[in-house]
Amino acid sequence: MPNEEEALQSRVRSLMSDAEMNQTQLAKAIGISDPKLSLSLRGERRFSTYELAAIAEQFHTTVDYLVSGKEQPSPAALAAREDSHQSLAWEEAVKRASTLDEVDAALNDLGIGEVAAPLARWHRPILSGLAIGDGPVLADAAHALLTDSFRDDMPGAIEATFGIHVTAKALGSGFDGLSWRSEDSRIIVMNTDVAWSRQRFTLAHELGHHLAGDVDNEGLLVDADVMSTHHRIPEMRANSFAAALLMPEREIRERVEGTVTRSLFASLVGLFLVSSDALAWRLKSLNLVDDAERSSLSRMSAAEAAQEGDWEERYFELVRHQSRQRLPEALVSRSLRAFVAGEISSVWPARVLDCDPGLLHEALDGTSSEVADDKEPVFIP
């Protein structure tokens, strides 16, 4: 029975054969000398982490397959493949999550960087099974781990606290967000083609899916509309969690004494950075307004709330940045460090950054190939 190194060599040879690529061609493709590759294929030299990553990229496979022979797709990938109601936005979001998962898995397989397992600090409280009641229980447990800066930088706080990669990009209509889980990664993808308040609620909703364990078995949960009125328990619980996380009952009751005036309501919208509709329903659920008051308050626009609540600058900032792409910062940092250290090629961080690999070389070298019409450099320091 071959040992692990022999099995690795055999898999590389098999891939070369399937691609009708000889040793010299592969060596050139991954950027090493022919003698070095020959030694590695004969077991007289170990493949470096860079070479394994480059070989995996060359043959459109994973480092995990090269090292262990495992090629079983993750539950998330299987769920994505088998889903029958795909849309263009849905497909793009799944593609993004799958790409990030592949990079994370490759870095893990290569042993690059020390990264805590997702949800390593999370201990799920005992749940009753009643969706509306369990949401606040989960939110209280999450608040115990989150810092005071959570409201200012939700994606960063979620990544730092729970180890969940958060990314956002323009995906078109008909999609709010998704939650992805594999052996290597937990990922949240959000759509920036919706208003900032909806993005924040979606992020909290997707976090609820992860913390409640909804995504653990299926690997993939897609939310075309987090505001829909369907009555599936996981969705109801995730919305209840999002409301309690974004608008904590304690903070609301500290500020509401008696009647909820329009001025007070407007300031609370700015404090919690939610939509008027979401806050109005939250106040109704806490029996602080009746249904007629909820209906009236929910019609206040965000711009009106910002003006009346004296948080216009914050409002303009949110609107100005609501279409901005968001990268998974921890994975960006990890892959770039590995690239700069020469452990992986530029292809891997480029996939995380969603850019051309050549841009990374240009950024690293600090050079540009552009010249003016007279053949002189465009920029002369």
Side-chain angles (χ1 to χ4, degrees):
M1 183 175 180
N3 60 32
E4 292 182 1
E5 283 298 315
E6 290 172 341
L8 167 60
Q9 296 150 24
S10 176
R11 281 188 282 274
V12 174
R13 289 195 189 94
S14 178
L15 290 169
M16 291 168 59
S17 177
D18 291 344
E20 297 182 350
M21 177 177 281
N22 62 37
Q23 184 175 294
T24 300
Q25 291 170 326
L26 178 58
K28 182 178 180 181
I30 65 175
I32 66 172
S33 67
D34 198 343
K36 270 190 177 181
L37 178 58
S38 180
L39 289 172
S40 296
L41 289 173
R42 294 202 307 268
E44 297 175 19
R45 171 186 175 273
R46 280 181 173 273
F47 285 104
S48 70
T49 56
Y50 177 94
E51 290 159 8
L52 288 173
I55 291 170
E57 183 67 29
Q58 176 64 36
F59 293 117
H60 306 289
T61 186
T62 65
V63 175
D64 190 25
Y65 169 72
L66 294 177
V67 174
S68 67
K70 295 179 183 177
E71 205 170 18
Q72 180 66 27
S74 69
L78 289 172
R81 183 183 303 169
E82 295 171 1
D83 199 283
S84 60
H85 57 278
Q86 298 178 5
S87 67
L88 291 178
W90 186 96
E91 290 177 8
E92 186 64 24
V94 168
K95 180 181 177 182
R96 180 62 173 154
S98 179
T99 295
L100 298 178
D101 187 21
E102 289 174 7
V103 176
D104 210 8
L107 296 176
N108 289 344
D109 292 335
L110 294 169
I112 294 176
E114 295 182 7
V115 179
L119 300 191
R121 299 169 55 199
W122 172 248
H123 299 286
R124 186 180 303 133
I126 297 174
L127 303 179
S128 68
L130 301 175
I132 303 301
D134 284 339
V137 173
L138 285 167
D140 286 344
H143 273 301
L145 295 175
L146 291 163
T147 65
D148 293 338
S149 64
F150 166 70
R151 197 166 285 153
D152 293 328
D153 182 12
M154 285 179 62
I158 289 171
E159 287 198 339
T161 304
F162 300 110
I164 300 172
H165 299 308
V166 179
T167 188
K169 64 183 298 185
L171 294 163
S173 61
F175 172 83
D176 281 339
L178 66 75
S179 293
W180 173 288
R181 179 184 183 269
S182 69
E183 184 178 344
D184 293 278
S185 297
R186 285 184 180 269
I187 300 167
I188 293 173
V189 179
M190 297 186 301
N191 187 8
T192 61
D193 279 332
V194 298
W196 59 266
S197 57
R198 193 179 185 100
Q199 291 180 44
R200 290 173 65 84
F201 195 89
T202 296
L203 179 53
H205 179 101
E206 300 305 333
L207 176 62
H209 279 318
H210 282 277
L211 299 187
D214 300 333
V215 74
D216 289 4
N217 293 327
E218 297 180 39
L220 175 68
L221 285 177
V222 179
D223 288 297
D225 180 5
V226 295
M227 305 297 184
S228 65
T229 57
H230 47 56
H231 298 294
R232 289 183 61 237
I233 287 178
E235 300 305 325
M236 293 171 63
R237 181 172 55 220
N239 275 349
S240 177
F241 167 84
L245 186 75
L246 296 173
M247 300 166 280
E249 180 178 356
R250 176 185 56 79
E251 289 191 61
I252 290 177
R253 294 195 182 278
E254 285 176 354
R255 289 166 173 81
V256 175
E257 297 179 2
T259 304
V260 179
T261 64
R262 283 183 62 85
S263 177
L264 173 59
F265 181 82
S267 68
L268 290 177
V269 173
L271 172 65
F272 299 126
L273 299 177
V274 294
S275 68
S276 294
D277 190 47
L279 178 58
W281 275 109
R282 179 64 168 152
L283 295 176
K284 173 68 166 57
S285 72
L286 296 175
N287 297 313
L288 294 173
V289 299
D290 59 27
D291 200 52
E293 290 171 314
R294 177 207 62 77
S295 179
S296 175
L297 292 171
S298 67
R299 290 194 290 271
M300 182 183 294
S301 71
E304 290 171 334
Q307 186 174 34
E308 191 161 343
D310 195 26
W311 53 282
E312 281 186 297
E313 288 305 314
R314 182 64 167 135
Y315 166 72
F316 291 137
E317 179 186 6
L318 289 165
V319 172
R320 186 166 63 249
H321 294 158
Q322 68 183 2
S323 298
R324 178 180 292 178
Q325 179 178 355
R326 204 270 175 185
L327 299 170
E329 296 299 332
L331 193 54
V332 167
S333 177
R334 190 180 177 201
S335 59
L336 281 176
R337 287 178 182 276
F339 165 59
V340 171
E343 296 175 303
I344 58 175
S345 73
S346 62
V347 171
W348 298 89
R351 295 176 72 185
V352 181
L353 293 166
D354 202 12
C355 71
D356 188 281
L359 291 177
L360 294 181
H361 288 286
E362 183 177 321
L364 183 65
D365 297 337
T367 60
S368 174
S369 59
E370 293 187 22
V371 294
D373 292 337
D374 59 0
K375 305 303 180 183
E376 289 296 324
V378 173
F379 173 73
I380 301 177

